[in-house]
Amino acid sequence: MLPVVALVGRPNVGKSTLFNYLTKTRDALVADYPGLTRDRQYGRVRRGQRDYYVVDTGGMVEPEAALEQQAMRQVQYALEEADVVLFLVDARDGLQSGDAVIAARLRRIGKPVVLAANKAERAEVATAAGEFHALGLGSPYPIAAAHGSGIDALLDAVEARLPEDRGGEEVAPEDEIRVAVVGRPNVGKSTLVNRLLGEERVVVFDQPGTTRDSVYIPFERHGQRYTLIDTAGIRRRGRVGEVIEKFSVIKALQAIDRAHVVIYLIDAREGVTEQDAHLLGMVLEAGRGLIIGFNKWDGLEQEQKDRLHRQVDLRLPFVDFAEKHFISALHGTGVGHLLDAVQRVRAASTQDLSAARLTRVLEQAVSAHPPPLVAGRRVKLKYAHQGGQNPPTIVIHGNQTEELPGSYRRYLMNTFREALGLKGTPIRLELRTGENPFQGRRNPLSVRQIRKRRRLMKHVK
């Protein structure tokens, strides 16, 4: 296993900015807003011959509210698993009482600590950073994470304190499955992620908007590697007021695009809302495999369960291909079957489909229900082949395919899904019409045809 470096410090000192710079990603949400990060965010640093993980954490404060206590517990987990602690302070603000409290805590854990004075873009600020010697953690390294200055010297100091690779980390296999947990706020997404992992990995609190960033969590189960993506809850656009929440929604939508399979959670107590239907439409447009989980199912009366089933039939007929699971993330009811369903959906979305098999299914569908007539001519569908995976794309060649009505396209998709066993994944059809070699060409009339035409024209009034 690779070594781990934890980024810690007061709120708004630039930990997430440094995390993004080191990992060469934009995985961590960055804004000029204290307390933005609450969960642990992992990333991989590749520098020369050294590889190691870096962990972005929330700002360390004296927790007063219950939500802050949960965030500080995540920081404590990061400190326990870290091999080296990278302590960030703000060179512009100077030495603060909160920095001294954090330094005292870091000295007690007995792990190597590297001190970095961030936001030291100007020479006078970098010189003033010398006051951080008073923390007793050695000389601070002046850096500017937003611009990348001073980072090389800082990483040299960090890597000098890192242990050797513990066992040699393997490169992530191609069969790793990325699973995004998506839904409206406060439906239990973080609770489900923690239940699947078997540990308190992300902050869970009974308050909408607890999760602000998309957290990527790799883990392994029965030899299969996964990356769980816990996303922020997505509300209707009219209700998204804070700038931070707008960025959180963007990160959640990006997570859908990066995922192989989406687990969409619905609060069974609230039922299926218009926002649920809208978000499921976005997942469908992205072409991702889909599993719908109805959370908090165990506390419902039979009448509520029946009403929920009617809502699903009425509002979600366009995702009838998705697997549906009725679960309780808090108590674990039905959660154990979700990852098995993820594997089935992933296998269906990446299935290799031969042209002969697809054409045979197409011929059977056309034979059972021929395409309709268009301007007195019947649409001809000749053969089919696979055009892509995730989602499965089927290319159908024929004549006048652009005139094929939507109802017949849905009939073809349902036929292909049933015949090929493509459960849990959307299907895309691409209809292509071959070029008419005689289009735009006119045969010249013979002398006899010209005379006949003249005789007939005499009778035209």
Side-chain angles (χ1 to χ4, degrees), residues 8 20 47 97 120 122 147 155 179 197 201 210 275 293 307 313 329 346 356 362 422 428 432:
V8 300
N20 287 344
R47 183 172 182 259
S97 59
R122 301 190 303 274
H147 308 292
L155 292 184
V179 184
L197 295 173
R201 177 60 182 79
T210 301
Q275 178 69 354
R307 183 171 65 251
D313 294 337
R346 176 59 174 164
L362 176 64
L422 301 178
R428 288 181 178 170
R432 298 180 183 177

Side-chain angles (χ1 to χ4, degrees), residues 247-264:
F247 282 113
S248 299
V249 171
I250 292 173
K251 301 286 281 187
L253 298 179
Q254 291 174 344
I256 293 175
D257 288 332
R258 298 179 66 176
H260 297 127
V261 179
V262 172
I263 298 178
Y264 188 88

Side-chain angles (χ1 to χ4, degrees), residues 52-163:
Y52 48 93
Y53 289 115
V54 62
V55 188
D56 184 24
T57 64
M60 298 179 67
V61 296
E62 290 297 326
E64 298 178 357
L67 181 57
E68 293 176 344
Q69 295 176 4
Q70 295 275 8
M72 289 306 97
R73 191 178 303 173
Q74 295 294 316
V75 177
Q76 181 60 34
Y77 291 151
L79 291 174
E80 291 175 357
E81 64 185 353
D83 297 293
V84 175
V85 178
L86 182 51
F87 178 24
L88 261 68
V89 294
D90 193 326
R92 297 177 189 170
D93 293 344
L95 182 60
Q96 303 290 315
S97 59
D99 296 324
V101 173
I102 297 173
R105 180 176 177 181
L106 295 181
R107 282 194 295 269
R108 289 195 297 268
I109 66 175
K111 292 187 177 182
V113 178
V114 178
L115 180 62
N118 192 26
K119 306 180 185 178
E121 296 90 348
R122 301 190 303 274
E124 60 271 19
V125 177
T127 303
E131 64 178 315
F132 293 104
H133 282 92
L135 295 175
L137 297 175
S139 300
Y141 289 85
I143 66 170
H147 308 292
S149 60
I151 302 296
D152 287 336
L154 174 65
L155 292 184
D156 288 339
V158 170
E159 293 171 4
R161 294 166 172 79
L162 283 177

Side-chain angles (χ1 to χ4, degrees), residues 192 196 325-329 331-339:
L192 176 61
L196 290 172
H325 292 258
F326 302 90
I327 66 172
S328 171
H331 301 105
T333 307
V335 174
H337 302 294
L338 283 179
L339 291 180

